[in-house]
Amino acid sequence: MTNGLENRTRWILFIAAISGVLTVGLGAFAAHGLKHHLSPYLLDVFKTGVQYQAWHTLALLGCGILTRFLSSKAVSYAALFFAIGIICFSGSLYALALTGIKWFGPITPMGGVCFIIGWVMLAIATWRSA
């Protein structure tokens, strides 16, 4: 494996690990620290952010592992879009739930689009590898 590919793999796996830590911490924060401070609706909004972050953290982890087996740059792009999606989608839901500011709402669909692009890029990478 080339040094550039090793660095890319390392960064993807590092970001997945950090996102995993944050997912567990934010989930615990929601379950124990927010349930008495947020309305049930806003608590559900926060939990949705945690849920999508958890799923896409696993996707990031998969991308990091796949970079060792597939030479396609599409895997790296998938990881990038998953990471941006986590920030935009989950981050905007966290901000909306904690602040109640509706302005964060329109950012959420941009994160969803990033998730979709990430999955498409992953499909392209696996298709090309066959």
Side-chain angles (χ1 to χ4, degrees):
M1 192 178 325
T2 66
N3 193 28
L5 187 56
E6 288 175 8
N7 286 336
R8 196 174 333 143
T9 299
R10 184 177 299 121
W11 272 107
I12 293 169
L13 293 173
F14 177 77
I15 291 167
I18 296 301
S19 184
V21 168
L22 291 172
T23 301
V24 173
L26 290 166
F29 180 57
H32 302 291
L34 293 178
K35 69 180 178 180
H36 299 297
H37 300 287
L38 295 180
S39 69
Y41 169 74
L42 289 178
L43 187 58
D44 280 345
V45 167
F46 195 94
K47 287 180 178 181
T48 298
V50 172
Q51 184 179 35
Y52 274 78
Q53 183 173 351
W55 284 112
H56 289 88
T57 295
L58 292 174
L60 273 170
L61 184 62
C63 286
I65 293 167
L66 280 174
T67 59
R68 294 191 174 269
F69 301 103
L70 302 178
S71 61
S72 174
K73 286 187 178 182
V75 176
S76 297
Y77 286 121
L80 176 64
F81 279 104
F82 289 147
I84 293 169
I86 289 169
I87 292 166
C88 292
F89 186 90
S90 296
S92 66
L93 291 180
Y94 300 147
L96 173 64
L98 294 174
T99 67
I101 298 172
K102 304 274 188 228
W103 182 86
F104 291 108
I107 299 170
T108 308
M110 291 189 296
V113 169
C114 287
F115 287 150
I116 292 167
I117 293 170
W119 288 110
V120 168
M121 295 304 296
L122 193 56
I124 289 168
T126 56
W127 184 261
R128 286 182 179 169
S129 71

